[in-house]
Amino acid sequence: MYEYYQEEGVDHPLFLFKTIHGLTYYVSFKKMGVYNYPFNNLYSLDFDEIDKTKSIPDTKISITISHIIYKFIKDSTETILFYVCDSSDSRHQCRSRLFSIWKSNITNPNYVKLDIDLNQTEINMSFIYDITSYDQAYIEENVVLYLDSLEREKQ
């Protein structure tokens, strides 16, 4: 794992780390503007390499990002973290697998991952949360209801 440090972003926590190849990555958690329970604790995950240079395969990157995710949820067990797998370049399935790898690196059995595949829009979303804070069936039901309401608002 790489050492990382935290900076406060404009409206969200921002974590930074540098690889042995000199690449700098950021991981951020942006609180979403949803006020209804349980989504009042919803944060979106974003990450990228800052200089946008080609990365050499490096397993420490995934381990570091997994640790940052783990610590973020551990520090606030009511956090529901989600990641949208962008499909603009048709790599959404790869991003979904990457998020699964990060979750598998987190050994806390109380953290569960919920995957939502919106076939009609080729969007994959994943949620990670602590089941000691939320009932799993309740979260799954409410995620679907919330996404349905967003879809209806678009029409």
Side-chain angles (χ1 to χ4, degrees), residues 27-123:
V27 179
S28 69
F29 301 95
K30 182 177 181 184
K31 185 161 177 89
M32 303 308 293
V34 181
Y35 302 103
N36 297 337
Y37 179 85
F39 300 113
N40 55 323
N41 295 308
L42 185 66
Y43 287 81
S44 68
L45 168 69
D46 189 23
F47 79 99
D48 204 353
E49 194 273 315
I50 289 177
D51 298 318
K52 307 282 189 202
T53 56
K54 284 277 186 187
S55 175
I56 297 168
D58 183 346
T59 58
K60 283 184 170 181
I61 294 169
S62 278
I63 292 168
T64 304
I65 292 173
S66 297
H67 189 269
I68 291 169
I69 291 169
Y70 167 77
K71 181 154 177 22
F72 187 74
I73 295 173
K74 180 181 173 228
D75 288 347
S76 176
T77 58
E78 292 186 349
T79 294
I80 300 172
L81 184 63
F82 85 99
Y83 180 63
V84 176
C85 301
D86 177 26
S87 62
S88 62
D89 60 359
S90 299
R91 294 185 43 125
H92 52 286
Q93 295 292 350
C94 294
R95 290 182 181 94
S96 181
R97 279 192 297 278
L98 182 60
F99 198 66
S100 292
I101 289 168
W102 295 341
K103 166 56 181 89
S104 71
N105 288 335
I106 299 172
T107 57
N108 187 327
N110 294 329
Y111 293 6
V112 296
K113 181 174 170 273
L114 169 64
D115 294 315
I116 304 287
D117 184 10
L118 303 174
N119 289 329
Q120 63 271 39
T121 58
E122 293 187 352
I123 294 176

Side-chain angles (χ1 to χ4, degrees), residues 120 142-155:
Q120 63 271 39
N142 280 282
V143 163
V144 170
L145 289 173
Y146 179 67
L147 293 174
D148 283 346
S149 71
L150 289 177
E151 193 62 33
R152 280 191 302 257
E153 285 178 17
K154 285 189 212 175
Q155 296 174 357

